[in-house]
């Protein structure tokens, strides 16, 4: 089992790590990005991941290379994690969003619609699971998850069918749900992607509050990066790419209006980031052919200026309409 990192050379070019730097890898996963940084610079890498299995790999890695410092937690709190590791500021923050192949390939984690396992999908292995979401949310909430996060065109129809079925039998396993979705959406009709792909993605993003975590991480990176420090983010979903793009546009003074995804600028605030490359970097055809997971990847990066952080909260407006967290429901 392994994870092939996406856009790794482009990430190194954007991050440009130098000897003596402190770099925070917010998504350690299989350690591909961390290893790439340590291969080009004699620096310190803080290895953050919310998945205990990923942190086990980070500890093993740290045993071989003391320049790697494991720092478990969520990247939404990356500034607090850096401080707890003894760093008030850092020179670089890198985020490679989504799930790792380790997570997908392990049937027991319940991320895959191709492998029988519990309907789980929790990166952190605690809190409400995908089964809690499917069996307990309202029809309207499920429809929003499939529509906004899964980008499933038949979201409402699917939510209605799920709610009807769970009245007699709740969903507990991945294949039961995947097969049910395939039936509810009318089968595969020779399509390459499984009909459950979008719904599973939406559920995974919801269970792990992935868009909320991303917004928090951008705000935390703004607080913790030193002037001249670099933020590099690789996304795999158009919603996430839009969040990063809008945040960097607003923070670099290029936002034509107030973005739904970023708090308003404080009056007279100077740009806190400089964006040198406006267009997202995409993988080459060769990379996409060799690694299908790379196809939807988009890399954006920016330089932290010396202006104060604009600050802001993850406001309610940043939550997707109609979604509420499952805390207290499970
Ligand atoms: C695509 S993988 C990263 C792969 C890594 N760059 C590599 O080269 O091996 C994403 C990782 O981010 C972790 N992750 C996702 N959301 C997180 C969050 N909010 N906080 C910390 N880790 C998170 C996942 O557990 C997963 O291990």
């Amino acid at each position: 089992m392994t994870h092939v990192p996406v856009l790794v050379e482009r990430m190194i070019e954007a991050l440009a790590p130098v000897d003596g730097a402190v770099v925070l890898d917010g998504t350690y996963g299989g350690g591909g990005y961390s290893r790439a940084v340590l291969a080009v610079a004699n620096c310190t890498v803080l290895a953050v991941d919310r998945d205990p299995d990923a942190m086990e790999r980070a500890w093993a890695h740290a045993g071989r290379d003391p320049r790697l410092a494991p720092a478990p937690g969520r990247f939404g709190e990356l500034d607090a994690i850096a401080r707890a590791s003894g760093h008030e500021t850092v020179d670089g923050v890198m985020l490679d969003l989504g799930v790792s192949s380790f997570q997908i390939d392990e049937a027991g984690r319940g991320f895959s619609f191709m492998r029988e396992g519990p309907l789980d999908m929790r990166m952190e292995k605690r809190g409400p699971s995908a089964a809690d979401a499917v069996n307990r949310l309202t029809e309207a909430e499920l429809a929003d998850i499939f529509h906004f996060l899964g980008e499933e065109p038949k979201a409402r129809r699917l939510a209605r069918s799920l709610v009807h079925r769970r009245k007699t039998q709740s969903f507990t396993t991945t294949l039961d749900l995947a097969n049910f979705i395939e039936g509810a959406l009318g089968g595969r009709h020779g399509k390459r992607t499984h009909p459950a792909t979008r719904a599973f993605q939406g559920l995974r993003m919801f269970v792990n509050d992935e868009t909320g975590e991303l917004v928090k991480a951008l705000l935390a990176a703004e607080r913790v990066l030193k002037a001249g420090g670099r933020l590099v983010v690789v996304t795999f979903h158009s919603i996430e790419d839009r969040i990063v793009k809008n945040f960097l546009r607003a923070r670099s003074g290029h936002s034509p209006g107030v973005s739904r995804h970023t708090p308003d600028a404080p009056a007279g605030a100077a740009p806190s980031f400089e964006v040198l490359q406006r267009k997202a970097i995409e993988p080459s055809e060769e990379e996409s052919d060799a690694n299908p997971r790379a196809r939807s990847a988009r890399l954006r990066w920016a330089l932290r200026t010396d202006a104060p952080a604009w600050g802001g909260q993850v406001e309610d407006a940043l939550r997707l309409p109609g979604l509420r967290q499952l805390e207290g429901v499970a």
Side-chain angles (χ1 to χ4, degrees):
M1 209 160 46
T2 182
H3 176 93
V4 181
V6 169
L7 285 170
V8 66
E9 284 94 11
R10 309 308 300 275
M11 186 280 301
I12 290 288
E13 280 165 24
L15 191 76
V18 294
D19 290 355
V22 178
V23 170
L24 188 143
D25 180 353
T27 51
Y28 179 81
Y33 275 24
S34 289
R35 273 193 299 279
V37 169
L38 290 167
V40 297
N42 191 11
C43 61
T44 300
V45 172
L46 304 180
V48 177
D49 205 294
R50 73 195 295 187
D51 185 333
D53 294 354
M55 290 317 298
E56 264 184 41
R57 288 188 287 275
W59 283 110
H61 183 173
R64 299 186 300 272
D65 187 342
R67 298 174 301 164
L68 188 95
R74 296 183 186 179
F75 57 57
E77 293 159 2
L78 62 84
D79 55 339
I81 293 174
R83 268 199 308 280
S85 307
H87 301 280
E88 281 301 315
T89 57
V90 300
D91 302 277
V93 169
M94 50 183 181
L95 298 173
D96 177 19
L97 302 178
V99 267
S100 72
S101 305
F102 290 100
Q103 290 164 326
I104 293 281
D105 292 347
E106 173 82 52
R109 302 297 303 269
F111 284 102
S112 172
F113 49 78
M114 314 250 280
R115 294 178 175 77
E116 178 66 323
L119 193 51
D120 191 320
M121 303 193 192
R122 296 169 303 173
M123 291 179 182
E124 239 161 45
K125 299 191 176 181
R126 60 193 170 93
S129 67
D132 292 320
V134 170
N135 293 318
R136 309 181 77 149
L137 290 178
T138 65
E139 183 181 323
E141 287 165 333
L142 285 169
D144 280 348
I145 290 172
F146 298 142
H147 175 69
F148 289 107
L149 300 178
E151 299 182 319
E152 167 55 58
K154 297 175 184 162
R156 307 226 162 260
R157 182 163 125 198
L158 177 59
R160 201 176 322 125
S161 311
L162 281 181
V163 167
H164 183 69
R165 142 76 202 255
R166 78 186 187 192
K167 282 184 191 149
T168 48
Q169 193 189 358
S170 49
F171 292 91
T172 55
T173 73
T174 46
L175 288 191
D176 178 24
L177 180 64
N179 293 336
F180 179 82
I181 294 172
E182 185 167 358
L185 295 183
R188 229 185 255 217
H189 302 302
K191 289 198 196 92
R192 268 173 55 198
T193 49
H194 190 288
T197 309
R198 293 192 173 92
F200 266 60
Q201 171 183 280
L203 284 170
R204 189 205 83 215
M205 290 179 73
F206 176 74
V207 165
N208 297 289
D209 188 20
E210 294 182 35
T211 50
E213 274 292 303
L214 173 58
V215 175
K216 284 187 208 160
L218 297 173
L219 296 172
E222 184 189 42
R223 290 191 293 268
V224 79
L225 278 168
K226 54 177 75 148
R230 287 160 182 248
L231 169 66
V232 187
V233 187
V234 176
T235 62
F236 294 86
H237 189 296
S238 59
I239 287 181
E240 292 176 337
D241 182 51
R242 216 174 312 136
I243 291 173
V244 178
K245 183 174 78 180
N246 288 344
F247 175 83
L248 291 178
R249 263 199 195 158
R251 293 308 209 252
S252 59
H254 292 294
S255 188
V258 174
S259 158
R260 196 167 71 80
H261 293 299
T262 52
D264 297 359
S272 57
F273 280 98
E274 186 182 1
V275 177
L276 299 177
Q277 203 166 351
R278 292 269 206 102
K279 213 173 159 309
I281 297 171
E282 299 181 15
S284 64
E285 256 179 56
E286 294 80 56
E287 179 167 12
S288 296
D289 287 345
N291 182 6
R293 218 174 50 81
R295 268 181 217 138
S296 51
R298 300 284 177 274
L299 182 151
R300 292 186 188 271
W301 68 278
L303 276 173
R304 182 73 173 88
T305 67
D306 58 6
W310 290 17
Q313 303 289 321
V314 183
E315 302 152 352
D316 285 346
L318 300 170
R319 303 264 172 215
L320 291 162
L323 300 190
R324 66 184 162 86
Q325 294 305 291
L326 271 168
E327 264 91 43
V329 177

